[in-house]
Amino acid sequence: MVIEQRLYTVEDVWELSHKPENANHHYYLIDGELYSTMPPGGTHGSLAGEISRLIGNFVRAYNLGRFTVETGFHPPNDRGTLLSPDVAFLSKSTMPGPLPAMFVPIMPDLAVEVMSPTDSLSELHRKAETYLRHGTSMVWIVKPSEKGVDVCRAGDDGGMRIESVGKDGVLSGETVLSGFELDLSELFNLAES
């Protein structure tokens, strides 16, 4: 939901998010437009937690870089775009050094967005397009109600390609997390147990 018609910056969001009255709000920016979301529910949190654990174990085992949860990322030269994926991966080659205390001034290699009941798929596809436009290689949109995932990649024509993987499918880390696989039936079973 768009909050107000003025252009916001990364610094505005940092300030807003640290006010006590905004403790239960999560903010993000697309092209200077400020959006607010409520904290995620149980299913969302469980899925994000399992994905984070599985990616984190793989990243640590092979010393591939860093993974984060609900961390703000913005393109280095764009103060009007800030996204906070539920789970993200940054390769060693992408990381600008130690992660800063404030928002990370680069987009992740992989962004994972778990769909909440209040999210629309078109809204999440817009986020995916924004990630990809600013350098993210792949976005996974996890759809709990369907027990599936939309895998989003940049298309050759500058648009976005979407591949839907069903509940019995397997996600591949492809070249982003080479060797990583995520069995969706296992993921959804873990999140529900």
Side-chain angles (χ1 to χ4, degrees):
M1 157 173 83
V2 176
I3 299 199
E4 190 177 325
Q5 293 297 83
R6 84 168 179 101
L7 296 181
Y8 285 82
T9 66
V10 170
E11 291 78 15
D12 294 329
V13 174
W14 184 262
E15 185 179 320
L16 274 172
S17 64
H18 286 85
K19 290 183 177 181
E21 64 268 23
N22 296 328
N24 289 323
H25 293 275
H26 296 244
Y27 296 101
Y28 66 95
L29 293 171
I30 296 180
D31 299 327
E33 290 183 19
L34 180 66
Y35 296 83
S36 172
T37 61
M38 295 303 291
T43 300
H44 179 123
S46 182
L47 282 166
E50 289 298 333
I51 294 168
S52 173
R53 180 181 64 79
L54 294 166
I55 287 176
N57 288 345
F58 186 84
V59 167
R60 285 193 174 142
Y62 297 99
N63 195 23
L64 299 175
R66 298 294 297 267
F67 68 98
T68 65
V69 177
E70 295 185 356
T71 299
F73 292 89
H74 66 88
N77 299 319
D78 182 348
R79 310 306 286 168
T81 298
L82 174 74
L83 296 171
S84 178
D86 295 303
V87 180
F89 164 69
L90 291 130
S91 67
K92 280 184 166 182
S93 63
T94 300
M95 285 181 16
L99 293 177
M102 293 181 68
F103 302 130
V104 181
I106 195 161
M107 298 306 269
D109 296 288
L110 170 68
V112 180
E113 293 280 355
V114 179
M115 187 173 192
S116 292
T118 57
D119 291 331
S120 72
L121 193 53
S122 63
E123 176 185 350
L124 291 174
H125 283 166
R126 182 174 183 215
K127 279 186 179 181
E129 288 172 339
T130 303
Y131 283 115
L132 296 169
R133 186 174 73 234
H134 291 290
T136 297
S137 298
M138 185 166 49
V139 180
W140 292 344
I141 298 174
V142 181
K143 302 180 290 187
S145 62
E146 296 177 24
K147 295 187 178 180
V149 175
D150 281 355
V151 178
C152 306
R153 301 175 197 86
D156 294 334
D157 61 356
M160 181 171 69
R161 293 178 308 146
I162 302 170
E163 174 191 355
S164 293
V165 180
K167 64 182 178 182
D168 296 322
V170 175
L171 292 179
S172 167
E174 301 176 8
T175 58
V176 179
L177 268 175
S178 186
F180 179 79
E181 290 190 342
L182 180 56
D183 181 306
L184 292 187
S185 61
E186 179 184 334
L187 169 67
F188 288 105
N189 285 337
L190 284 170
E192 291 175 354
S193 60

